[in-house]
Amino acid sequence: MDQTQQLMSTANLLRRVNGGDAIAKERLVAIYLPILMRWGKGRLPMTARSMAETQDLVQMTLIRALDNIGEFESYREGAFLAYLRKILMNLIYNEIRRPQSRLGGAEFKPENIPADESPITQDQMIQYEKALAKLKDADREGIILRLEFGLSYGEIAAAMRKPSANAARMFVSRALANFATYIA
């Protein structure tokens, strides 16, 4: 099953999970675990790792999302992936903020991240997240699906109920133009 078919089946699976279907829950985990692992790889700085690794955070993300599935409202297929991303980012930020024993018990500071770990600075990441937060939900989802999860325009069209890949491309282009206005 390609990513488009997986995203298209998400709404049905979420309804079934909400109704207590354990098989649907397992299917959602099977679909989203590899996607989140790919996306999360390298986002947790080495200096912020303790007992938690990316795989642990991804599993915690899925557990939290599925345990609170009754509170999740999906307006588009891509919304669940954006919801998972938000949970995972919060877990990563929590790991980064935690006092680190290998740093002498000191609070984590961005300058403690080795420069070769990421080409993106902590300030750039904060600026990116703040700009994303200012966007409409649909614009944010389109950007995340394209830039962070690497979905094709055809997949984005299916996930966001756009009539064609070209319509999705235009939508993401407009969302990026809007996004650029929030970057200092």
Side-chain angles (χ1 to χ4, degrees):
M1 181 183 295
D2 71 10
Q3 226 167 6
T4 303
Q5 290 171 321
Q6 290 171 351
L7 289 172
M8 290 176 65
S9 67
T10 299
N12 182 40
L13 289 171
L14 288 170
R15 279 190 294 278
R16 290 174 41 203
V17 168
N18 204 22
D21 185 336
I23 293 171
K25 191 181 238 185
E26 289 175 19
R27 182 68 189 130
L28 273 176
V29 169
I31 291 169
Y32 287 101
L33 182 67
I35 293 170
L36 289 174
M37 285 297 296
R38 255 191 329 274
W39 183 82
K41 186 175 169 55
R43 293 196 187 262
L44 183 63
M46 293 296 287
T47 53
R49 294 180 189 180
S50 56
M51 295 293 281
E53 293 291 334
T54 302
Q55 184 173 356
D56 300 322
L57 296 178
V58 166
Q59 289 174 356
M60 287 170 49
T61 297
L62 288 166
I63 290 167
R64 285 188 184 180
L66 294 172
D67 283 350
N68 297 305
I69 205 69
E71 298 171 17
F72 173 72
E73 292 183 30
S74 176
Y75 300 103
R76 288 171 296 281
E77 294 290 341
F80 187 64
L81 195 51
Y83 176 64
L84 292 173
R85 177 205 176 269
K86 184 175 183 176
I87 294 170
L88 182 55
M89 285 302 296
N90 287 337
L91 289 170
I92 289 169
Y93 290 149
N94 289 343
E95 276 301 307
I96 290 171
R97 283 189 221 114
R98 277 190 4 187
Q100 303 295 317
S101 59
R102 69 196 152 291
L103 297 174
E107 188 71 25
F108 173 81
K109 294 184 178 132
E111 58 269 17
N112 292 333
I113 299 176
D116 61 347
E117 248 188 79
S118 173
I120 300 171
T121 68
Q122 183 82 9
D123 289 339
Q124 288 170 325
M125 193 60 175
I126 290 168
Q127 185 179 21
Y128 172 78
E129 291 295 331
K130 283 182 179 178
L132 274 180
K134 292 177 182 176
L135 295 173
K136 294 178 198 170
D137 289 344
D139 288 352
R140 183 173 38 256
E141 286 172 30
I143 289 171
I144 289 169
L145 292 173
R146 180 67 182 160
L147 298 183
E148 296 187 25
F149 289 104
L151 268 61
S152 70
Y153 291 115
E155 291 168 327
I156 293 169
M160 299 191 73
R161 298 186 180 135
K162 299 294 177 194
S164 67
N166 195 46
R169 182 185 58 76
M170 291 302 298
F171 176 79
V172 171
S173 294
R174 285 187 206 107
L176 285 168
N178 189 21
F179 173 79
T181 65
Y182 296 114
I183 299 290

